[in-house]
Amino acid sequence: PTNINQNVAGIAAQAMMKDINLDYGFDIKIKKGIKPGSGIGSSAASSAGVVFAINKLIDSPFSDIELIRFAMEGEKFVSGSYHADNVSPILLGGFTLVRSVKDLDIIKLPNPKGLIATIIRPEIELKTSDSRKVVKLILLKLKRRRTMMSKRL
């Protein structure tokens, strides 16, 4: 979407701009070739990419953690919840462990030697918000199952 209030990049950029006093704005154009809803972090790439680029253009006043927080605003818009699981490895590089989103406790993990990765771009749409609903449903069912099993014991 070209409306900055309906686009994750625009939302992330606006979150960042609230924390800095500039007398100018930015014209954002994104070309990435990743289909939205592909399940491989398209929205995170846009959110993280725009805050990283703006930070560089204004002489990098923000830390990586602050950039992650701004990028998370875009992720919240598209998925309905704050999460850093996609934006943190984009901004920090490599593998990350997000221990807390509330306090933004994120650890950069070492890259395993000899790791080979393959990315498959599906031809289906799988929105992050839909995936998260399924995960919540599965976790709820597991919790109920554990509760039932503990009552039997």
Side-chain angles (χ1 to χ4, degrees), residues 35-142:
K35 184 178 175 182
S38 63
I40 58 173
S42 172
S43 63
S46 297
S47 295
V50 76
V51 297
F52 180 84
I54 291 172
N55 197 45
K56 289 294 184 189
L57 289 170
I58 59 175
D59 295 325
S60 303
F62 295 108
S63 70
D64 289 339
I65 291 295
E66 289 170 310
L67 296 179
I68 290 168
R69 185 160 309 279
F70 299 138
M72 284 171 49
E73 292 293 335
E75 289 292 84
K76 181 184 185 296
F77 173 76
V78 75
S79 71
S81 65
Y82 287 105
H83 58 93
D85 55 343
N86 291 328
V87 296
S88 63
I90 292 169
L91 288 164
L92 299 177
F95 293 94
T96 59
L97 172 65
V98 180
R99 294 194 300 188
S100 171
V101 174
K102 184 179 178 186
D103 301 323
L104 266 190
D105 183 6
I106 301 170
I107 299 170
K108 186 168 171 29
L109 301 173
N111 293 329
K113 284 190 173 198
L115 177 71
I116 297 173
T118 302
I119 297 175
I120 299 171
R121 290 182 17 182
E123 292 297 322
I124 60 168
E125 182 177 296
L126 182 62
K127 294 182 179 181
T128 301
S129 57
D130 293 339
S131 298
R132 289 190 179 276
K133 287 177 190 173
V134 171
V135 169
K136 283 182 183 179
L137 185 62
I138 290 169
L139 291 175
L140 181 62
K141 286 182 180 181
L142 288 172

